[in-house]
mmCIF file of all heavy atoms in Angstrom:
data_model
loop_
_atom_site.group_PDB
_atom_site.id
_atom_site.type_symbol
_atom_site.label_atom_id
_atom_site.label_comp_id
_atom_site.label_asym_id
_atom_site.label_seq_id
_atom_site.Cartn_x
_atom_site.Cartn_y
_atom_site.Cartn_z
ATOM 1 N N ASN A 554 0.858 -1.198 0.039
ATOM 2 C CA ASN A 554 -0.029 -0.015 -0.015
ATOM 3 C C ASN A 554 0.878 1.273 -0.018
ATOM 4 O O ASN A 554 0.435 2.289 -0.526
ATOM 5 C CB ASN A 554 -0.945 0.020 1.175
ATOM 6 C CG ASN A 554 -2.067 -0.958 1.023
ATOM 7 O OD1 ASN A 554 -2.357 -1.430 -0.157
ATOM 8 N ND2 ASN A 554 -2.768 -1.414 2.050
ATOM 9 N N LEU A 555 2.047 1.153 0.579
ATOM 10 C CA LEU A 555 2.933 2.321 0.551
ATOM 11 C C LEU A 555 3.396 2.606 -0.858
ATOM 12 O O LEU A 555 3.727 3.778 -1.254
ATOM 13 C CB LEU A 555 4.125 2.101 1.454
ATOM 14 C CG LEU A 555 3.835 2.328 2.989
ATOM 15 C CD1 LEU A 555 4.996 1.769 3.825
ATOM 16 C CD2 LEU A 555 3.653 3.743 3.268
ATOM 17 N N THR A 556 3.402 1.578 -1.727
ATOM 18 C CA THR A 556 3.662 1.814 -3.192
ATOM 19 C C THR A 556 2.647 2.761 -3.760
ATOM 20 O O THR A 556 3.017 3.665 -4.495
ATOM 21 C CB THR A 556 3.567 0.492 -3.946
ATOM 22 O OG1 THR A 556 4.564 -0.373 -3.485
ATOM 23 C CG2 THR A 556 3.753 0.709 -5.434
ATOM 24 N N TYR A 557 1.397 2.623 -3.423
ATOM 25 C CA TYR A 557 0.331 3.523 -3.911
ATOM 26 C C TYR A 557 0.571 4.936 -3.313
ATOM 27 O O TYR A 557 0.568 5.948 -4.040
ATOM 28 C CB TYR A 557 -1.042 3.010 -3.475
ATOM 29 C CG TYR A 557 -1.414 1.689 -3.922
ATOM 30 C CD1 TYR A 557 -2.310 0.897 -3.148
ATOM 31 C CD2 TYR A 557 -0.932 1.135 -5.119
ATOM 32 C CE1 TYR A 557 -2.650 -0.427 -3.547
ATOM 33 C CE2 TYR A 557 -1.274 -0.169 -5.500
ATOM 34 C CZ TYR A 557 -2.159 -0.887 -4.739
ATOM 35 O OH TYR A 557 -2.585 -2.164 -5.129
ATOM 36 N N TRP A 558 0.743 4.968 -1.970
ATOM 37 C CA TRP A 558 0.806 6.253 -1.345
ATOM 38 C C TRP A 558 2.093 7.050 -1.671
ATOM 39 O O TRP A 558 2.118 8.243 -1.634
ATOM 40 C CB TRP A 558 0.666 6.128 0.189
ATOM 41 C CG TRP A 558 -0.620 5.434 0.534
ATOM 42 C CD1 TRP A 558 -1.868 5.632 -0.016
ATOM 43 C CD2 TRP A 558 -0.843 4.439 1.579
ATOM 44 N NE1 TRP A 558 -2.807 4.836 0.535
ATOM 45 C CE2 TRP A 558 -2.271 4.098 1.514
ATOM 46 C CE3 TRP A 558 0.031 3.787 2.454
ATOM 47 C CZ2 TRP A 558 -2.761 3.118 2.379
ATOM 48 C CZ3 TRP A 558 -0.553 2.799 3.356
ATOM 49 C CH2 TRP A 558 -1.923 2.518 3.246
ATOM 50 N N ASN A 559 3.149 6.321 -2.003
ATOM 51 C CA ASN A 559 4.360 6.959 -2.490
ATOM 52 C C ASN A 559 4.372 7.272 -3.979
ATOM 53 O O ASN A 559 5.388 7.711 -4.555
ATOM 54 C CB ASN A 559 5.600 6.038 -2.099
ATOM 55 C CG ASN A 559 5.891 6.018 -0.646
ATOM 56 O OD1 ASN A 559 5.599 6.975 0.058
ATOM 57 N ND2 ASN A 559 6.405 4.913 -0.164
ATOM 58 N N ASN A 560 3.183 7.007 -4.593
ATOM 59 C CA ASN A 560 3.032 7.367 -6.047
ATOM 60 C C ASN A 560 4.055 6.703 -6.921
ATOM 61 O O ASN A 560 4.531 7.243 -7.855
ATOM 62 C CB ASN A 560 3.130 8.918 -6.216
ATOM 63 C CG ASN A 560 2.463 9.363 -7.518
ATOM 64 O OD1 ASN A 560 1.638 8.645 -8.083
ATOM 65 N ND2 ASN A 560 2.918 10.503 -8.070
ATOM 66 N N GLN A 561 4.309 5.352 -6.586
ATOM 67 C CA GLN A 561 5.204 4.591 -7.364
ATOM 68 C C GLN A 561 4.388 3.760 -8.377
ATOM 69 O O GLN A 561 3.266 3.486 -8.158
ATOM 70 C CB GLN A 561 6.030 3.696 -6.485
ATOM 71 C CG GLN A 561 6.962 4.542 -5.489
ATOM 72 C CD GLN A 561 7.588 3.683 -4.436
ATOM 73 O OE1 GLN A 561 7.035 2.762 -3.956
ATOM 74 N NE2 GLN A 561 8.754 4.153 -3.938
ATOM 75 N N GLU A 562 5.048 3.236 -9.396
ATOM 76 C CA GLU A 562 4.407 2.526 -10.445
ATOM 77 C C GLU A 562 4.161 1.008 -9.983
ATOM 78 O O GLU A 562 4.911 0.480 -9.231
ATOM 79 C CB GLU A 562 5.201 2.556 -11.708
ATOM 80 C CG GLU A 562 5.283 4.010 -12.219
ATOM 81 C CD GLU A 562 5.865 4.089 -13.662
ATOM 82 O OE1 GLU A 562 6.536 3.118 -14.073
ATOM 83 O OE2 GLU A 562 5.567 5.078 -14.338
ATOM 84 N N TYR A 563 3.094 0.433 -10.606
ATOM 85 C CA TYR A 563 2.749 -0.944 -10.208
ATOM 86 C C TYR A 563 1.888 -1.539 -11.363
ATOM 87 O O TYR A 563 1.188 -0.818 -12.051
ATOM 88 C CB TYR A 563 1.997 -0.952 -8.911
ATOM 89 C CG TYR A 563 0.711 -0.153 -8.866
ATOM 90 C CD1 TYR A 563 -0.575 -0.713 -9.200
ATOM 91 C CD2 TYR A 563 0.750 1.180 -8.599
ATOM 92 C CE1 TYR A 563 -1.696 0.041 -9.207
ATOM 93 C CE2 TYR A 563 -0.382 1.980 -8.612
ATOM 94 C CZ TYR A 563 -1.617 1.388 -8.918
ATOM 95 O OH TYR A 563 -2.762 2.148 -8.895
ATOM 96 N N TYR A 564 1.900 -2.860 -11.447
ATOM 97 C CA TYR A 564 1.065 -3.589 -12.326
ATOM 98 C C TYR A 564 -0.311 -3.765 -11.725
ATOM 99 O O TYR A 564 -0.394 -3.938 -10.476
ATOM 100 C CB TYR A 564 1.631 -4.945 -12.695
ATOM 101 C CG TYR A 564 2.847 -4.967 -13.588
ATOM 102 C CD1 TYR A 564 4.088 -5.290 -13.007
ATOM 103 C CD2 TYR A 564 2.708 -4.708 -14.969
ATOM 104 C CE1 TYR A 564 5.230 -5.337 -13.840
ATOM 105 C CE2 TYR A 564 3.850 -4.782 -15.738
ATOM 106 C CZ TYR A 564 5.081 -5.054 -15.246
ATOM 107 O OH TYR A 564 6.193 -5.104 -16.043
ATOM 108 N N GLY A 565 -1.366 -3.729 -12.521
ATOM 109 C CA GLY A 565 -2.639 -4.154 -12.129
ATOM 110 C C GLY A 565 -3.138 -5.201 -13.106
ATOM 111 O O GLY A 565 -3.348 -4.978 -14.318
ATOM 112 N N PHE A 566 -3.311 -6.471 -12.613
ATOM 113 C CA PHE A 566 -3.689 -7.550 -13.474
ATOM 114 C C PHE A 566 -5.088 -8.043 -13.018
ATOM 115 O O PHE A 566 -5.357 -8.122 -11.827
ATOM 116 C CB PHE A 566 -2.759 -8.783 -13.275
ATOM 117 C CG PHE A 566 -1.307 -8.462 -13.735
ATOM 118 C CD1 PHE A 566 -0.248 -8.671 -12.864
ATOM 119 C CD2 PHE A 566 -1.070 -8.072 -15.059
ATOM 120 C CE1 PHE A 566 1.055 -8.408 -13.286
ATOM 121 C CE2 PHE A 566 0.265 -7.850 -15.438
ATOM 122 C CZ PHE A 566 1.343 -7.981 -14.571
ATOM 123 N N GLY A 567 -5.894 -8.403 -13.989
ATOM 124 C CA GLY A 567 -7.212 -8.969 -13.678
ATOM 125 C C GLY A 567 -8.358 -7.985 -13.984
ATOM 126 O O GLY A 567 -8.141 -6.748 -14.053
ATOM 127 N N VAL A 568 -9.561 -8.477 -14.074
ATOM 128 C CA VAL A 568 -10.750 -7.715 -14.332
ATOM 129 C C VAL A 568 -10.956 -6.624 -13.211
ATOM 130 O O VAL A 568 -10.746 -6.965 -12.018
ATOM 131 C CB VAL A 568 -11.982 -8.613 -14.563
ATOM 132 C CG1 VAL A 568 -12.363 -9.224 -13.246
ATOM 133 C CG2 VAL A 568 -13.142 -7.794 -15.060
ATOM 134 N N GLY A 569 -11.100 -5.391 -13.574
ATOM 135 C CA GLY A 569 -11.387 -4.387 -12.561
ATOM 136 C C GLY A 569 -10.146 -3.846 -11.886
ATOM 137 O O GLY A 569 -10.265 -2.895 -11.070
ATOM 138 N N ALA A 570 -8.978 -4.375 -12.234
ATOM 139 C CA ALA A 570 -7.709 -3.944 -11.598
ATOM 140 C C ALA A 570 -7.310 -2.604 -12.193
ATOM 141 O O ALA A 570 -7.634 -2.259 -13.346
ATOM 142 C CB ALA A 570 -6.648 -4.931 -11.761
ATOM 143 N N SER A 571 -6.509 -1.813 -11.478
ATOM 144 C CA SER A 571 -5.952 -0.596 -11.952
ATOM 145 C C SER A 571 -4.409 -0.700 -11.815
ATOM 146 O O SER A 571 -3.891 -1.370 -10.982
ATOM 147 C CB SER A 571 -6.395 0.605 -11.157
ATOM 148 O OG SER A 571 -7.787 0.745 -11.271
ATOM 149 N N GLY A 572 -3.699 0.006 -12.704
ATOM 150 C CA GLY A 572 -2.258 0.006 -12.696
ATOM 151 C C GLY A 572 -1.719 1.335 -13.057
ATOM 152 O O GLY A 572 -2.376 2.293 -13.414
ATOM 153 N N TYR A 573 -0.345 1.489 -12.896
ATOM 154 C CA TYR A 573 0.309 2.717 -13.187
ATOM 155 C C TYR A 573 1.733 2.365 -13.686
ATOM 156 O O TYR A 573 2.631 1.945 -12.934
ATOM 157 C CB TYR A 573 0.426 3.550 -11.848
ATOM 158 C CG TYR A 573 1.109 4.865 -12.004
ATOM 159 C CD1 TYR A 573 1.029 5.684 -13.144
ATOM 160 C CD2 TYR A 573 1.902 5.384 -10.886
ATOM 161 C CE1 TYR A 573 1.676 6.903 -13.227
ATOM 162 C CE2 TYR A 573 2.515 6.586 -10.983
ATOM 163 C CZ TYR A 573 2.420 7.349 -12.154
ATOM 164 O OH TYR A 573 3.073 8.564 -12.261
ATOM 165 N N ILE A 574 1.911 2.439 -15.037
ATOM 166 C CA ILE A 574 3.099 2.020 -15.652
ATOM 167 C C ILE A 574 3.553 3.165 -16.622
ATOM 168 O O ILE A 574 2.718 3.612 -17.475
ATOM 169 C CB ILE A 574 2.921 0.694 -16.448
ATOM 170 C CG1 ILE A 574 2.350 -0.396 -15.560
ATOM 171 C CG2 ILE A 574 4.218 0.239 -17.123
ATOM 172 C CD1 ILE A 574 3.260 -0.907 -14.531
ATOM 173 N N ASP A 575 4.881 3.459 -16.643
ATOM 174 C CA ASP A 575 5.422 4.443 -17.642
ATOM 175 C C ASP A 575 4.614 5.738 -17.700
ATOM 176 O O ASP A 575 4.318 6.270 -18.761
ATOM 177 C CB ASP A 575 5.564 3.844 -18.982
ATOM 178 C CG ASP A 575 6.482 2.682 -19.052
ATOM 179 O OD1 ASP A 575 7.450 2.635 -18.284
ATOM 180 O OD2 ASP A 575 6.239 1.704 -19.853
ATOM 181 N N ASN A 576 4.174 6.204 -16.496
ATOM 182 C CA ASN A 576 3.347 7.489 -16.383
ATOM 183 C C ASN A 576 2.029 7.314 -16.976
ATOM 184 O O ASN A 576 1.392 8.370 -17.261
ATOM 185 C CB ASN A 576 4.149 8.668 -16.981
ATOM 186 C CG ASN A 576 5.366 9.003 -16.182
ATOM 187 O OD1 ASN A 576 5.416 8.834 -14.950
ATOM 188 N ND2 ASN A 576 6.399 9.482 -16.897
ATOM 189 N N ILE A 577 1.516 6.111 -17.199
ATOM 190 C CA ILE A 577 0.190 5.860 -17.696
ATOM 191 C C ILE A 577 -0.620 5.174 -16.562
ATOM 192 O O ILE A 577 -0.273 4.077 -16.095
ATOM 193 C CB ILE A 577 0.146 4.982 -18.945
ATOM 194 C CG1 ILE A 577 0.830 5.712 -20.132
ATOM 195 C CG2 ILE A 577 -1.236 4.635 -19.320
ATOM 196 C CD1 ILE A 577 0.996 4.914 -21.379
ATOM 197 N N ARG A 578 -1.712 5.829 -16.144
ATOM 198 C CA ARG A 578 -2.626 5.189 -15.238
ATOM 199 C C ARG A 578 -3.727 4.524 -16.069
ATOM 200 O O ARG A 578 -4.281 5.143 -16.991
ATOM 201 C CB ARG A 578 -3.251 6.189 -14.257
ATOM 202 C CG ARG A 578 -2.303 6.686 -13.226
ATOM 203 C CD ARG A 578 -2.922 7.372 -12.044
ATOM 204 N NE ARG A 578 -1.920 7.743 -11.071
ATOM 205 C CZ ARG A 578 -1.490 6.936 -10.142
ATOM 206 N NH1 ARG A 578 -1.971 5.699 -9.960
ATOM 207 N NH2 ARG A 578 -0.598 7.398 -9.269
ATOM 208 N N TYR A 579 -4.027 3.259 -15.681
ATOM 209 C CA TYR A 579 -5.045 2.524 -16.514
ATOM 210 C C TYR A 579 -5.970 1.759 -15.608
ATOM 211 O O TYR A 579 -5.651 1.403 -14.479
ATOM 212 C CB TYR A 579 -4.365 1.608 -17.497
ATOM 213 C CG TYR A 579 -3.539 0.469 -16.888
ATOM 214 C CD1 TYR A 579 -4.123 -0.751 -16.612
ATOM 215 C CD2 TYR A 579 -2.180 0.583 -16.633
ATOM 216 C CE1 TYR A 579 -3.409 -1.836 -16.039
ATOM 217 C CE2 TYR A 579 -1.463 -0.439 -16.052
ATOM 218 C CZ TYR A 579 -2.111 -1.619 -15.776
ATOM 219 O OH TYR A 579 -1.377 -2.629 -15.223
ATOM 220 N N ASP A 580 -7.196 1.533 -16.150
ATOM 221 C CA ASP A 580 -8.155 0.733 -15.457
ATOM 222 C C ASP A 580 -8.546 -0.363 -16.371
ATOM 223 O O ASP A 580 -8.825 -0.170 -17.591
ATOM 224 C CB ASP A 580 -9.425 1.550 -15.165
ATOM 225 C CG ASP A 580 -9.152 2.692 -14.178
ATOM 226 O OD1 ASP A 580 -8.517 2.416 -13.132
ATOM 227 O OD2 ASP A 580 -9.620 3.783 -14.478
ATOM 228 N N ASN A 581 -8.546 -1.618 -15.833
ATOM 229 C CA ASN A 581 -8.959 -2.718 -16.640
ATOM 230 C C ASN A 581 -10.545 -2.800 -16.712
ATOM 231 O O ASN A 581 -11.223 -2.305 -15.826
ATOM 232 C CB ASN A 581 -8.480 -4.066 -16.032
ATOM 233 C CG ASN A 581 -7.078 -4.386 -16.550
ATOM 234 O OD1 ASN A 581 -6.483 -3.670 -17.299
ATOM 235 N ND2 ASN A 581 -6.600 -5.618 -16.172
ATOM 236 N N THR A 582 -11.006 -3.456 -17.675
ATOM 237 C CA THR A 582 -12.484 -3.607 -17.871
ATOM 238 C C THR A 582 -13.058 -4.307 -16.680
ATOM 239 O O THR A 582 -12.388 -5.160 -16.054
ATOM 240 C CB THR A 582 -12.790 -4.402 -19.172
ATOM 241 O OG1 THR A 582 -14.206 -4.573 -19.270
ATOM 242 C CG2 THR A 582 -12.166 -5.770 -19.164
ATOM 243 N N LYS A 583 -14.326 -4.023 -16.371
ATOM 244 C CA LYS A 583 -15.053 -4.714 -15.329
ATOM 245 C C LYS A 583 -15.998 -5.807 -15.932
ATOM 246 O O LYS A 583 -16.729 -6.414 -15.208
ATOM 247 C CB LYS A 583 -15.851 -3.717 -14.462
ATOM 248 C CG LYS A 583 -14.997 -2.774 -13.668
ATOM 249 C CD LYS A 583 -15.797 -1.884 -12.764
ATOM 250 C CE LYS A 583 -14.919 -0.987 -11.975
ATOM 251 N NZ LYS A 583 -15.649 -0.112 -11.052
ATOM 252 N N SER A 584 -15.938 -5.935 -17.260
ATOM 253 C CA SER A 584 -16.707 -6.887 -17.981
ATOM 254 C C SER A 584 -15.921 -8.217 -18.170
ATOM 255 O O SER A 584 -14.887 -8.232 -18.778
ATOM 256 C CB SER A 584 -17.159 -6.339 -19.364
ATOM 257 O OG SER A 584 -17.587 -7.392 -20.189
ATOM 258 N N LEU A 585 -16.500 -9.306 -17.614
ATOM 259 C CA LEU A 585 -15.863 -10.642 -17.849
ATOM 260 C C LEU A 585 -15.784 -10.953 -19.311
ATOM 261 O O LEU A 585 -14.758 -11.505 -19.822
ATOM 262 C CB LEU A 585 -16.543 -11.672 -17.103
ATOM 263 C CG LEU A 585 -16.295 -11.782 -15.564
ATOM 264 C CD1 LEU A 585 -17.145 -12.915 -14.986
ATOM 265 C CD2 LEU A 585 -14.805 -12.046 -15.311
ATOM 266 N N ASN A 586 -16.786 -10.671 -20.055
ATOM 267 C CA ASN A 586 -16.768 -11.047 -21.529
ATOM 268 C C ASN A 586 -15.693 -10.282 -22.259
ATOM 269 O O ASN A 586 -14.996 -10.898 -23.037
ATOM 270 C CB ASN A 586 -18.146 -10.689 -22.098
ATOM 271 C CG ASN A 586 -19.255 -11.757 -21.826
ATOM 272 O OD1 ASN A 586 -18.929 -12.908 -21.554
ATOM 273 N ND2 ASN A 586 -20.496 -11.310 -21.834
ATOM 274 N N GLN A 587 -15.549 -9.003 -21.962
ATOM 275 C CA GLN A 587 -14.502 -8.252 -22.625
ATOM 276 C C GLN A 587 -13.147 -8.808 -22.166
ATOM 277 O O GLN A 587 -12.145 -8.937 -23.027
ATOM 278 C CB GLN A 587 -14.595 -6.798 -22.291
ATOM 279 C CG GLN A 587 -15.748 -6.118 -23.028
ATOM 280 C CD GLN A 587 -15.749 -4.551 -22.794
ATOM 281 O OE1 GLN A 587 -14.766 -4.024 -22.358
ATOM 282 N NE2 GLN A 587 -16.847 -3.953 -23.218
ATOM 283 N N TYR A 588 -13.005 -9.116 -20.899
ATOM 284 C CA TYR A 588 -11.734 -9.569 -20.408
ATOM 285 C C TYR A 588 -11.390 -10.938 -21.027
ATOM 286 O O TYR A 588 -10.226 -11.110 -21.509
ATOM 287 C CB TYR A 588 -11.821 -9.682 -18.880
ATOM 288 C CG TYR A 588 -10.467 -10.052 -18.222
ATOM 289 C CD1 TYR A 588 -9.476 -9.094 -18.114
ATOM 290 C CD2 TYR A 588 -10.216 -11.291 -17.654
ATOM 291 C CE1 TYR A 588 -8.251 -9.416 -17.561
ATOM 292 C CE2 TYR A 588 -9.073 -11.633 -17.082
ATOM 293 C CZ TYR A 588 -8.052 -10.635 -17.013
ATOM 294 O OH TYR A 588 -6.831 -10.982 -16.441
ATOM 295 N N PHE A 589 -12.370 -11.818 -21.127
ATOM 296 C CA PHE A 589 -12.086 -13.196 -21.714
ATOM 297 C C PHE A 589 -11.690 -13.009 -23.220
ATOM 298 O O PHE A 589 -11.031 -13.891 -23.764
ATOM 299 C CB PHE A 589 -13.370 -14.037 -21.599
ATOM 300 C CG PHE A 589 -13.668 -14.485 -20.214
ATOM 301 C CD1 PHE A 589 -14.932 -14.919 -19.899
ATOM 302 C CD2 PHE A 589 -12.719 -14.427 -19.186
ATOM 303 C CE1 PHE A 589 -15.269 -15.324 -18.599
ATOM 304 C CE2 PHE A 589 -13.009 -14.808 -17.927
ATOM 305 C CZ PHE A 589 -14.243 -15.253 -17.611
ATOM 306 N N ASN A 590 -12.186 -11.906 -23.875
ATOM 307 C CA ASN A 590 -11.857 -11.711 -25.281
ATOM 308 C C ASN A 590 -10.536 -10.920 -25.441
ATOM 309 O O ASN A 590 -10.258 -10.486 -26.587
ATOM 310 C CB ASN A 590 -13.018 -10.975 -25.950
ATOM 311 C CG ASN A 590 -14.253 -11.812 -26.185
ATOM 312 O OD1 ASN A 590 -14.033 -13.036 -26.489
ATOM 313 N ND2 ASN A 590 -15.393 -11.318 -26.001
ATOM 314 N N GLY A 591 -9.793 -10.704 -24.368
ATOM 315 C CA GLY A 591 -8.479 -10.063 -24.459
ATOM 316 C C GLY A 591 -8.489 -8.575 -24.482
ATOM 317 O O GLY A 591 -7.470 -7.924 -24.690
ATOM 318 N N LYS A 592 -9.684 -8.018 -24.261
ATOM 319 C CA LYS A 592 -9.816 -6.500 -24.221
ATOM 320 C C LYS A 592 -9.595 -6.035 -22.734
ATOM 321 O O LYS A 592 -10.571 -5.813 -22.055
ATOM 322 C CB LYS A 592 -11.160 -6.066 -24.759
ATOM 323 C CG LYS A 592 -11.343 -6.428 -26.210
ATOM 324 C CD LYS A 592 -12.765 -6.122 -26.683
ATOM 325 C CE LYS A 592 -12.949 -6.549 -28.108
ATOM 326 N NZ LYS A 592 -14.352 -6.303 -28.596
ATOM 327 N N TYR A 593 -8.387 -6.125 -22.291
ATOM 328 C CA TYR A 593 -8.150 -5.929 -20.834
ATOM 329 C C TYR A 593 -8.370 -4.543 -20.344
ATOM 330 O O TYR A 593 -9.021 -4.377 -19.281
ATOM 331 C CB TYR A 593 -6.619 -6.332 -20.515
ATOM 332 C CG TYR A 593 -6.240 -7.705 -21.076
ATOM 333 C CD1 TYR A 593 -5.105 -7.861 -21.822
ATOM 334 C CD2 TYR A 593 -7.005 -8.856 -20.849
ATOM 335 C CE1 TYR A 593 -4.719 -9.096 -22.279
ATOM 336 C CE2 TYR A 593 -6.586 -10.104 -21.270
ATOM 337 C CZ TYR A 593 -5.539 -10.215 -22.052
ATOM 338 O OH TYR A 593 -5.122 -11.459 -22.487
ATOM 339 N N VAL A 594 -7.840 -3.575 -21.041
ATOM 340 C CA VAL A 594 -7.888 -2.208 -20.517
ATOM 341 C C VAL A 594 -9.132 -1.475 -21.079
ATOM 342 O O VAL A 594 -9.344 -1.496 -22.234
ATOM 343 C CB VAL A 594 -6.608 -1.432 -20.964
ATOM 344 C CG1 VAL A 594 -6.678 -0.001 -20.517
ATOM 345 C CG2 VAL A 594 -5.337 -2.126 -20.359
ATOM 346 N N SER A 595 -9.813 -0.781 -20.141
ATOM 347 C CA SER A 595 -11.056 -0.027 -20.553
ATOM 348 C C SER A 595 -10.720 1.460 -20.663
ATOM 349 O O SER A 595 -11.348 2.194 -21.348
ATOM 350 C CB SER A 595 -12.169 -0.274 -19.560
ATOM 351 O OG SER A 595 -11.857 0.236 -18.271
ATOM 352 N N ASP A 596 -9.686 1.900 -19.915
ATOM 353 C CA ASP A 596 -9.373 3.344 -19.870
ATOM 354 C C ASP A 596 -7.962 3.508 -19.484
ATOM 355 O O ASP A 596 -7.441 2.849 -18.637
ATOM 356 C CB ASP A 596 -10.278 4.060 -18.870
ATOM 357 C CG ASP A 596 -10.096 5.519 -18.751
ATOM 358 O OD1 ASP A 596 -10.275 6.216 -19.782
ATOM 359 O OD2 ASP A 596 -9.640 5.960 -17.756
ATOM 360 N N GLU A 597 -7.279 4.471 -20.127
ATOM 361 C CA GLU A 597 -5.915 4.862 -19.694
ATOM 362 C C GLU A 597 -5.646 6.278 -19.950
ATOM 363 O O GLU A 597 -6.253 6.861 -20.836
ATOM 364 C CB GLU A 597 -4.868 3.919 -20.463
ATOM 365 C CG GLU A 597 -4.827 4.130 -21.995
ATOM 366 C CD GLU A 597 -3.733 3.168 -22.598
ATOM 367 O OE1 GLU A 597 -3.439 2.114 -21.988
ATOM 368 O OE2 GLU A 597 -3.266 3.552 -23.706
ATOM 369 N N GLN A 598 -4.708 6.862 -19.174
ATOM 370 C CA GLN A 598 -4.397 8.267 -19.277
ATOM 371 C C GLN A 598 -2.912 8.500 -19.031
ATOM 372 O O GLN A 598 -2.393 8.050 -17.964
ATOM 373 C CB GLN A 598 -5.186 9.104 -18.262
ATOM 374 C CG GLN A 598 -4.850 10.551 -18.287
ATOM 375 C CD GLN A 598 -5.485 11.270 -17.065
ATOM 376 O OE1 GLN A 598 -6.087 10.689 -16.155
ATOM 377 N NE2 GLN A 598 -5.399 12.645 -17.056
ATOM 378 N N ARG A 599 -2.231 9.080 -19.987
ATOM 379 C CA ARG A 599 -0.810 9.430 -19.818
ATOM 380 C C ARG A 599 -0.714 10.697 -18.997
ATOM 381 O O ARG A 599 -1.389 11.705 -19.369
ATOM 382 C CB ARG A 599 -0.092 9.596 -21.143
ATOM 383 C CG ARG A 599 1.357 9.948 -20.977
ATOM 384 C CD ARG A 599 2.089 9.961 -22.289
ATOM 385 N NE ARG A 599 2.229 8.629 -22.839
ATOM 386 C CZ ARG A 599 3.096 7.700 -22.519
ATOM 387 N NH1 ARG A 599 3.992 7.984 -21.586
ATOM 388 N NH2 ARG A 599 3.094 6.549 -23.118
#
């Protein structure tokens, strides 16, 4: 949790997960169907 609070980068794997990589914050889809079809990320922002 200190990784989050120190604003450090981290992977987010799985449906509904969020991550922060290479100055991009992203949210994975919350849809199982989309996730199963390989459409992992629903939103990202550099």
Side-chain angles (χ1 to χ4, degrees):
N554 287 342
L555 283 166
T556 297
Y557 304 149
W558 301 322
N559 289 328
N560 198 26
Q561 295 167 331
E562 297 191 337
Y563 59 94
Y564 288 107
F566 298 123
V568 67
S571 298
Y573 180 36
I574 306 288
D575 296 330
N576 292 328
I577 295 174
R578 288 196 177 273
Y579 65 88
D580 297 313
N581 274 4
T582 178
K583 294 183 178 180
S584 163
L585 281 179
N586 284 333
Q587 287 187 12
Y588 188 71
F589 292 161
N590 288 322
K592 298 175 183 177
Y593 307 129
V594 176
S595 63
D596 180 64
E597 62 180 26
Q598 178 188 10
R599 180 174 293 278

